[in-house]
DNA sequence: CGTACTATTGAATCATTTCAATTCGGGTGG
DNA sequence: CCACCCGAATTGAAATGATTCAATAGTACG
């Protein structure tokens, strides 16, 4: 496992505001963790005793609704810091994290982060800004859920995947989700998600091969309402 | 207008972490503002040049969806600090604020707050915790919107109003919203909101008098799914 | 007293869920 | 390499939930 002070991942998150000395200290006490596709990283209600810095892979953050279904709240990727919120608020985590890929991450113990948070105002400010942005996107998703049709929401997650995770050699979305995952992101029944996807297929906007999806007409997706 | 250092409202928000000196400085540069019911405090996309500390009244924070409808994201009340997020992230505001009551608030200019944020780590940490909590509730609302029925969401806002704004002398919810506001909170069409309310009335869970609503069976509301 | 909103209701239509079959694809063991 | 199996994907059809448009009734306010 490499050293934090020479790790480029940190440029993508708030850790970039730490001093060289702080990074060296963190480097000394961090541990590496690997998770296989489908593995649970942590579950809603657990107390986290640190944050996870994602080096590779994608995971979903979900929350169990009272109706018994999981809702995906956010997809997190390389560079994201997981568990900030719980640490800062000193609360049990409100979300579960489940790997969608094989993942590689560094785990930084709570005490070390809290220490830096207390002593390095730049770092605190950076975490604060980050949280402000998360809040904005969360509010945007809330409006999307409340106001847009299932079809529109599906189109949005397809475009999001395209923009953020890219395509494989054959032009399929490189992140492969089950229909159930799509349903849980869009906030609908699995069969509904499937139905919407086959509708999009009929309309020529996408094509599929097994669970893999290829976007055939990005612009077309954009205009769905 | 009173002095911040002797104002009890600040105990309800992050301003409680400021020192006496900081409060005196803020007190000197703050201005008082009043808004009448229905007045716009600020609109999505504006740059705020300060934060609003609510001394009295309630307002709704809304976001315009692409379908042309407003969605209420949050109700804010006495003690809340409005505009933190935009200031911290140094972005235009993502929400509009509209008074639901006659309101009384103090406006604290950006420079003063940002100065304190930079120099008082306790204050920064407090704002950070606050934002972490806002993020949690936003994520909870997101799940509610995605997974629960309109009827259930309506029941929740009624219980929320009961718990947070209380009742008037006659036992009606003391916050009076239009049916359109209810629809915009619940994320549905106005007629749907009306229909749900009359359904609840038929079931004996609530009664109404004009736009005023009285909860007749709180426990009954709780069990709606 | 009107006027102007706001609330309410009906009926038709559209969107989404549900349950019950099938079909398909990918991995396993022979 | 191929037959088989299992879980995931797909589809149909009925039922339920929500929206829309249009018409009517209330209420508040000047």
């Amino acid at each position: 496992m490499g050293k934090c002070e020479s790790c480029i991942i940190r440029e993508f998150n708030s850790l970039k505001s730490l001093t060289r000395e702080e990074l060296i200290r963190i480097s000394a006490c961090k541990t590496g963790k690997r998770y296989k596709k489908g593995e649970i990283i942590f579950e809603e209600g657990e107390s986290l005793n640190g944050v996870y810095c994602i080096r590779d892979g994608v995971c979903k953050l979900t929350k169990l609704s009272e109706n018994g279904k999981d809702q995906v709240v956010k997809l997190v990727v390389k560079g994201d810091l997981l568990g900030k919120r719980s640490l800062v608020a000193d609360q049990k985590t409100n979300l579960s994290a489940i790997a969608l890929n094989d993942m590689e991450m560094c785990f930084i113990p709570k005490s070390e982060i809290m220490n830096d948070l207390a002593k390095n105002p730049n770092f605190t400010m950076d975490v604060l800004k980050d949280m402000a942005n998360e809040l904005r996107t969360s509010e945007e998703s809330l409006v999307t859920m409340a106001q847009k049709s299932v079809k529109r929401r599906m189109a949005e997650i397809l475009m999001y995947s395209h923009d953020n995770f890219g395509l494989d050699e054959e032009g399929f979305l490189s992140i492969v989700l089950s229909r159930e995952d799509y349903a849980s992101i869009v906030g609908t029944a699995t069969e509904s998600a499937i139905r919407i996807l086959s509708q999009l297929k009929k309309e020529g906007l996408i094509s599929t091969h097994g669970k893999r999806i290829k976007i055939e007409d990005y612009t077309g997706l954009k205009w769905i309402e």
Side-chain angles (χ1 to χ4, degrees), chain A residues 124-179:
Chain A
T124 319
M125 201 58 203
D126 224 60
V127 171
L128 186 51
K129 281 188 185 180
D130 212 77
M131 193 104 57
N133 281 317
E134 281 195 37
L135 182 56
R136 180 172 45 74
T137 60
S138 173
E139 289 170 346
E140 280 165 5
S141 307
L142 160 51
V143 175
T144 295
M145 288 299 170
Q147 298 285 350
K148 298 181 187 171
S149 68
V150 170
K151 191 168 180 183
R152 183 63 215 272
R153 283 180 264 158
M154 181 64 80
E156 291 192 1
I157 179 61
L158 291 173
M159 292 186 290
Y160 180 88
S161 300
H162 173 274
D163 297 343
N164 290 278
F165 308 125
L167 308 177
D168 66 13
E169 333 66 59
E170 300 171 76
F172 288 94
L173 291 176
S174 59
I175 184 162
V176 178
L177 301 175
S178 67
R179 299 303 191 238

Coordinates of all heavy atoms in Angstrom, one line a residue, chain A residues 124-179:
Chain A
T124 N -11.0 21.6 7.5 CA -12.3 21.8 8.0 C -13.2 22.5 6.9 O -14.3 22.1 6.6 CB -12.4 22.6 9.3 OG1 -11.3 22.2 10.1 CG2 -13.7 22.4 10.0
M125 N -12.6 23.6 6.4 CA -13.4 24.4 5.5 C -13.6 23.6 4.2 O -14.7 23.7 3.6 CB -12.5 25.6 5.2 CG -13.3 26.8 4.6 SD -14.6 27.3 5.7 CE -15.7 28.1 4.4
D126 N -12.7 22.8 3.8 CA -12.8 22.0 2.6 C -13.9 20.9 2.8 O -14.7 20.6 1.9 CB -11.5 21.3 2.3 CG -11.2 21.4 0.9 OD1 -11.1 22.5 0.4 OD2 -11.1 20.3 0.2
V127 N -13.9 20.3 4.0 CA -14.9 19.3 4.3 C -16.3 20.0 4.3 O -17.3 19.5 3.8 CB -14.7 18.6 5.7 CG1 -15.8 17.8 6.1 CG2 -13.4 17.8 5.6
L128 N -16.3 21.2 4.8 CA -17.6 21.9 4.9 C -18.1 22.2 3.5 O -19.3 22.0 3.2 CB -17.3 23.2 5.7 CG -18.5 24.1 6.0 CD1 -19.6 23.4 6.6 CD2 -18.1 25.3 6.8
K129 N -17.2 22.6 2.6 CA -17.6 22.9 1.2 C -18.1 21.7 0.5 O -19.1 21.7 -0.2 CB -16.4 23.5 0.4 CG -16.2 24.9 0.7 CD -15.2 25.5 -0.2 CE -14.9 27.0 0.2 NZ -13.9 27.6 -0.6
D130 N -17.4 20.6 0.8 CA -17.8 19.3 0.2 C -19.2 18.9 0.7 O -20.0 18.5 -0.1 CB -16.8 18.3 0.7 CG -16.6 17.2 -0.3 OD1 -15.9 17.5 -1.2 OD2 -17.2 16.1 -0.1
M131 N -19.5 19.1 1.9 CA -20.8 18.7 2.5 C -21.8 19.6 1.9 O -22.9 19.2 1.7 CB -20.7 18.8 4.0 CG -21.8 18.2 4.7 SD -21.4 16.6 5.5 CE -20.1 17.1 6.5
A132 N -21.5 20.9 1.7 CA -22.5 21.8 1.1 C -22.8 21.4 -0.3 O -24.0 21.4 -0.7 CB -21.9 23.2 1.1
N133 N -21.9 20.9 -1.0 CA -22.2 20.4 -2.3 C -23.0 19.1 -2.3 O -23.9 18.9 -3.1 CB -20.9 20.2 -3.1 CG -20.4 21.5 -3.7 OD1 -21.1 22.3 -4.1 ND2 -19.1 21.7 -3.5
E134 N -22.7 18.2 -1.4 CA -23.5 17.0 -1.2 C -24.9 17.4 -0.9 O -25.9 16.8 -1.4 CB -22.9 16.1 -0.1 CG -21.7 15.3 -0.6 CD -21.4 14.2 0.4 OE1 -22.4 13.6 0.9 OE2 -20.2 13.9 0.6
L135 N -25.1 18.4 -0.1 CA -26.4 18.8 0.3 C -27.2 19.3 -0.9 O -28.4 19.0 -1.1 CB -26.3 19.9 1.4 CG -27.7 20.4 1.9 CD1 -28.5 19.3 2.5 CD2 -27.5 21.5 3.0
R136 N -26.5 20.1 -1.7 CA -27.2 20.6 -2.9 C -27.6 19.4 -3.8 O -28.8 19.4 -4.3 CB -26.2 21.5 -3.7 CG -26.9 22.1 -5.0 CD -26.0 23.2 -5.6 NE -24.6 22.8 -5.7 CZ -24.1 22.0 -6.5 NH1 -24.9 21.3 -7.4 NH2 -22.8 21.7 -6.5
T137 N -26.7 18.5 -4.1 CA -27.1 17.4 -5.0 C -28.2 16.5 -4.4 O -29.1 16.1 -5.1 CB -25.9 16.5 -5.4 OG1 -25.4 15.9 -4.2 CG2 -24.9 17.3 -6.1
S138 N -28.2 16.4 -3.0 CA -29.3 15.6 -2.4 C -30.6 16.3 -2.6 O -31.6 15.7 -2.8 CB -28.9 15.5 -0.9 OG -30.0 14.9 -0.3
E139 N -30.6 17.7 -2.5 CA -31.8 18.4 -2.6 C -32.3 18.3 -4.1 O -33.5 18.2 -4.3 CB -31.6 19.9 -2.2 CG -31.5 20.0 -0.7 CD -31.1 21.4 -0.2 OE1 -30.6 22.2 -1.0 OE2 -31.2 21.6 1.0
E140 N -31.4 18.3 -5.0 CA -31.7 18.2 -6.4 C -32.4 16.8 -6.6 O -33.4 16.7 -7.3 CB -30.5 18.4 -7.3 CG -30.2 19.8 -7.5 CD -28.8 20.1 -8.1 OE1 -28.1 19.1 -8.5 OE2 -28.4 21.3 -8.2
S141 N -31.8 15.8 -6.1 CA -32.4 14.4 -6.2 C -33.8 14.3 -5.6 O -34.7 13.7 -6.2 CB -31.5 13.4 -5.6 OG -30.2 13.4 -6.0
L142 N -33.9 15.0 -4.5 CA -35.2 15.0 -3.8 C -36.3 15.6 -4.8 O -37.4 15.0 -5.0 CB -35.1 15.9 -2.6 CG -36.3 16.5 -1.9 CD1 -37.4 15.5 -1.7 CD2 -35.9 17.1 -0.6
V143 N -36.0 16.7 -5.4 CA -36.9 17.3 -6.4 C -37.2 16.4 -7.6 O -38.3 16.2 -8.0 CB -36.4 18.7 -6.9 CG1 -37.3 19.2 -7.9 CG2 -36.3 19.6 -5.7
T144 N -36.1 15.7 -8.0 CA -36.3 14.8 -9.1 C -37.2 13.7 -8.8 O -38.1 13.3 -9.5 CB -34.9 14.2 -9.5 OG1 -34.1 15.2 -10.0 CG2 -35.0 13.1 -10.5
M145 N -37.0 13.1 -7.6 CA -37.9 12.0 -7.1 C -39.3 12.5 -7.0 O -40.3 11.7 -7.3 CB -37.4 11.5 -5.8 CG -36.1 10.8 -5.8 SD -36.3 9.3 -6.9 CE -34.6 8.8 -7.0
A146 N -39.5 13.7 -6.5 CA -40.9 14.1 -6.2 C -41.6 14.6 -7.5 O -42.8 14.5 -7.6 CB -40.8 15.3 -5.2
Q147 N -40.9 15.0 -8.5 CA -41.5 15.7 -9.6 C -41.4 15.0 -11.0 O -42.2 15.3 -11.9 CB -41.0 17.1 -9.8 CG -41.3 18.0 -8.6 CD -42.7 18.4 -8.5 OE1 -43.5 18.2 -9.4 NE2 -43.1 19.0 -7.3
K148 N -40.4 14.1 -11.1 CA -40.3 13.6 -12.5 C -40.8 12.1 -12.6 O -40.8 11.4 -11.7 CB -38.8 13.7 -12.9 CG -38.3 15.1 -12.9 CD -36.8 15.2 -13.3 CE -36.3 16.6 -13.2 NZ -34.9 16.7 -13.4
S149 N -41.1 11.8 -13.8 CA -41.7 10.4 -14.1 C -40.5 9.4 -14.0 O -39.4 9.7 -14.0 CB -42.2 10.4 -15.5 OG -41.2 10.5 -16.4
V150 N -41.0 8.2 -13.8 CA -40.0 7.1 -13.7 C -39.1 7.0 -15.0 O -37.9 6.8 -14.9 CB -40.7 5.7 -13.5 CG1 -39.8 4.6 -13.7 CG2 -41.4 5.7 -12.1
K151 N -39.8 7.2 -16.1 CA -39.0 7.2 -17.4 C -37.9 8.2 -17.4 O -36.8 8.0 -17.8 CB -40.0 7.4 -18.5 CG -39.4 7.1 -19.9 CD -40.5 7.1 -20.9 CE -39.9 6.8 -22.3 NZ -40.9 6.8 -23.4
R152 N -38.3 9.4 -16.9 CA -37.3 10.5 -16.9 C -36.2 10.2 -16.0 O -35.0 10.4 -16.3 CB -38.0 11.8 -16.5 CG -37.1 13.0 -16.5 CD -36.6 13.3 -17.9 NE -35.3 13.8 -18.0 CZ -35.0 15.1 -17.9 NH1 -35.9 16.0 -17.8 NH2 -33.7 15.5 -17.9
R153 N -36.5 9.7 -14.8 CA -35.5 9.4 -13.8 C -34.6 8.3 -14.4 O -33.4 8.3 -14.2 CB -36.2 8.9 -12.5 CG -36.7 10.0 -11.7 CD -37.4 9.5 -10.4 NE -38.8 9.4 -10.6 CZ -39.5 8.5 -9.8 NH1 -39.0 7.8 -8.8 NH2 -40.8 8.4 -9.9
M154 N -35.1 7.3 -15.1 CA -34.3 6.3 -15.6 C -33.4 6.9 -16.7 O -32.2 6.6 -16.7 CB -35.2 5.2 -16.3 CG -34.4 4.1 -16.9 SD -33.5 3.1 -15.7 CE -34.8 2.1 -15.0
A155 N -33.9 7.8 -17.5 CA -33.0 8.4 -18.5 C -31.9 9.1 -17.8 O -30.7 9.1 -18.3 CB -33.9 9.4 -19.3
E156 N -32.2 9.8 -16.7 CA -31.1 10.5 -16.0 C -30.0 9.6 -15.5 O -28.9 10.0 -15.6 CB -31.8 11.4 -14.9 CG -32.6 12.5 -15.5 CD -33.0 13.6 -14.5 OE1 -32.7 13.5 -13.3 OE2 -33.7 14.6 -14.9
I157 N -30.4 8.5 -14.9 CA -29.4 7.7 -14.3 C -28.5 7.0 -15.5 O -27.3 6.9 -15.3 CB -29.9 6.6 -13.4 CG1 -28.8 5.7 -12.8 CG2 -31.0 5.7 -14.1 CD1 -27.8 6.4 -12.0
L158 N -29.2 6.8 -16.6 CA -28.4 6.2 -17.7 C -27.4 7.3 -18.2 O -26.2 7.0 -18.4 CB -29.4 5.9 -18.9 CG -30.2 4.6 -18.6 CD1 -31.3 4.4 -19.7 CD2 -29.4 3.4 -18.4
M159 N -27.8 8.5 -18.3 CA -26.9 9.6 -18.8 C -25.8 9.8 -17.7 O -24.7 10.0 -18.1 CB -27.7 10.9 -19.0 CG -28.6 10.7 -20.2 SD -29.4 12.3 -20.7 CE -30.6 12.5 -19.3
Y160 N -26.2 9.7 -16.5 CA -25.3 9.9 -15.4 C -24.2 8.8 -15.5 O -23.0 9.1 -15.3 CB -26.0 9.8 -14.0 CG -25.1 10.0 -12.8 CD1 -24.8 11.3 -12.3 CD2 -24.6 8.9 -12.2 CE1 -24.0 11.4 -11.2 CE2 -23.7 9.0 -11.1 CZ -23.5 10.3 -10.6 OH -22.6 10.4 -9.5
S161 N -24.6 7.6 -15.7 CA -23.6 6.5 -15.8 C -22.7 6.7 -16.9 O -21.5 6.6 -16.8 CB -24.4 5.2 -16.0 OG -25.2 4.9 -14.9
H162 N -23.3 7.2 -18.0 CA -22.5 7.4 -19.2 C -21.4 8.5 -18.9 O -20.3 8.3 -19.2 CB -23.4 7.9 -20.4 CG -22.7 8.4 -21.6 ND1 -22.3 9.7 -21.7 CD2 -22.3 7.7 -22.7 CE1 -21.6 9.8 -22.9 NE2 -21.7 8.6 -23.5
D163 N -21.9 9.6 -18.3 CA -21.0 10.7 -18.1 C -19.9 10.4 -17.0 O -18.8 10.9 -17.1 CB -21.8 11.9 -17.6 CG -22.7 12.4 -18.7 OD1 -22.6 12.0 -19.9 OD2 -23.7 13.2 -18.4
N164 N -20.3 9.6 -16.0 CA -19.4 9.5 -14.8 C -18.6 8.2 -14.8 O -17.5 8.1 -14.2 CB -20.2 9.6 -13.5 CG -20.7 11.0 -13.3 OD1 -19.9 11.8 -12.8 ND2 -21.9 11.2 -13.7
F165 N -19.1 7.1 -15.5 CA -18.4 5.9 -15.4 C -17.9 5.4 -16.8 O -17.1 4.5 -16.9 CB -19.3 4.8 -14.8 CG -19.9 5.2 -13.5 CD1 -21.2 5.1 -13.3 CD2 -19.0 5.6 -12.5 CE1 -21.8 5.5 -12.1 CE2 -19.6 6.0 -11.3 CZ -20.9 5.9 -11.0
G166 N -18.4 6.1 -17.9 CA -17.9 5.8 -19.2 C -18.4 4.5 -19.8 O -19.3 3.8 -19.3
L167 N -17.7 4.1 -20.9 CA -18.1 3.0 -21.7 C -17.0 1.9 -21.7 O -15.9 2.2 -21.6 CB -18.4 3.4 -23.1 CG -19.4 4.6 -23.2 CD1 -19.5 5.0 -24.7 CD2 -20.8 4.2 -22.7
D168 N -17.4 0.7 -22.0 CA -16.4 -0.4 -22.2 C -16.0 -0.4 -23.6 O -16.4 0.4 -24.4 CB -16.9 -1.7 -21.6 CG -18.0 -2.3 -22.4 OD1 -18.3 -1.7 -23.5 OD2 -18.7 -3.2 -22.0
E169 N -15.1 -1.4 -24.0 CA -14.6 -1.4 -25.4 C -15.7 -1.6 -26.4 O -15.6 -1.1 -27.5 CB -13.6 -2.6 -25.5 CG -12.8 -3.1 -24.3 CD -13.8 -3.7 -23.3 OE1 -14.5 -4.7 -23.6 OE2 -13.8 -3.2 -22.1
E170 N -16.8 -2.3 -26.0 CA -17.8 -2.5 -26.9 C -18.9 -1.4 -27.0 O -19.9 -1.5 -27.6 CB -18.5 -3.8 -26.6 CG -17.6 -5.0 -26.7 CD -18.3 -6.3 -26.1 OE1 -19.1 -6.8 -26.9 OE2 -18.0 -6.7 -25.0
G171 N -18.7 -0.4 -26.2 CA -19.6 0.7 -26.2 C -20.7 0.6 -25.2 O -21.6 1.5 -25.1
F172 N -20.7 -0.5 -24.3 CA -21.7 -0.6 -23.3 C -21.3 0.3 -22.1 O -20.1 0.6 -21.9 CB -21.9 -2.0 -22.8 CG -22.5 -2.9 -23.9 CD1 -21.8 -3.6 -24.8 CD2 -23.9 -3.0 -23.9 CE1 -22.4 -4.5 -25.7 CE2 -24.5 -3.8 -24.9 CZ -23.7 -4.6 -25.8
L173 N -22.3 0.7 -21.3 CA -22.0 1.4 -20.1 C -21.1 0.5 -19.3 O -21.4 -0.7 -19.0 CB -23.3 1.7 -19.3 CG -24.3 2.7 -19.9 CD1 -25.6 2.7 -19.0 CD2 -23.6 4.0 -20.0
S174 N -20.0 1.1 -18.8 CA -19.0 0.2 -18.2 C -19.4 -0.2 -16.8 O -19.0 -1.2 -16.2 CB -17.6 0.8 -18.2 OG -17.6 2.0 -17.5
I175 N -20.4 0.5 -16.2 CA -20.9 0.0 -14.9 C -22.1 -0.8 -15.2 O -23.0 -0.4 -15.9 CB -21.2 1.2 -13.9 CG1 -21.7 0.6 -12.6 CG2 -22.3 2.1 -14.5 CD1 -21.6 1.5 -11.5
V176 N -22.1 -2.0 -14.6 CA -23.1 -3.0 -14.9 C -24.0 -3.2 -13.6 O -23.5 -3.6 -12.6 CB -22.6 -4.3 -15.3 CG1 -23.7 -5.3 -15.6 CG2 -21.7 -4.2 -16.6
L177 N -25.2 -2.8 -13.7 CA -26.1 -2.9 -12.6 C -27.2 -3.9 -12.9 O -27.6 -4.0 -14.0 CB -26.7 -1.5 -12.3 CG -25.8 -0.4 -12.0 CD1 -26.6 0.9 -11.8 CD2 -25.0 -0.6 -10.7
S178 N -27.7 -4.5 -11.8 CA -28.9 -5.4 -12.0 C -30.1 -4.5 -12.2 O -30.1 -3.3 -11.9 CB -29.1 -6.3 -10.8 OG -29.5 -5.5 -9.7
R179 N -31.2 -5.1 -12.8 CA -32.4 -4.4 -13.0 C -32.9 -3.9 -11.6 O -33.5 -2.8 -11.5 CB -33.4 -5.2 -13.7 CG -33.0 -5.7 -15.1 CD -32.7 -4.5 -16.0 NE -32.5 -4.9 -17.4 CZ -31.4 -4.7 -18.1 NH1 -30.4 -4.2 -17.6 NH2 -31.4 -5.1 -19.4

